[in-house]
Amino acid sequence: VKDEYRKLSGSQKAALFLMAVGEEVAVKLFSMMDDDEIREISSIMSSLGQVNAEIVERLFVDFVERVSA
């Protein structure tokens, strides 16, 4: 799982994050992005397929660690 997580690009992590936080939060975050960013993230979201729950958990742990630092 760690290797899979490390292979994700920043854009892929952003797409996963937006998918995991739920529609209400995602809509607020999308409203802060420009059209190109929205297109890129949306495209990645549609191509991700099924994602292991442990990778999503690692994403949130990483996010919390970075925000706390």
Side-chain angles (χ1 to χ4, degrees):
V1 171
K2 285 184 180 181
D3 287 338
E4 280 184 62
Y5 181 75
R6 287 187 189 129
K7 290 178 185 177
L8 293 173
S9 69
S11 295
Q12 288 172 317
K13 289 176 183 177
L16 280 173
F17 185 84
L18 286 165
M19 291 170 67
V21 294
E23 185 176 351
E24 187 177 325
V25 174
V27 167
K28 289 178 184 177
L29 293 171
F30 271 125
S31 73
M32 294 181 234
M33 296 180 194
D34 64 37
D35 290 345
D36 289 338
E37 291 171 321
I38 293 170
R39 273 192 289 279
E40 178 183 3
I41 297 295
S42 297
S43 175
I44 292 169
M45 286 173 144
S46 67
S47 68
L48 280 174
Q50 191 171 10
V51 178
N52 185 314
E54 291 177 42
I55 290 175
V56 176
E57 182 178 346
R58 180 68 201 136
L59 175 68
F60 278 102
V61 168
D62 189 36
F63 176 78
V64 169
E65 287 174 354
R66 290 172 188 261
V67 170
S68 300

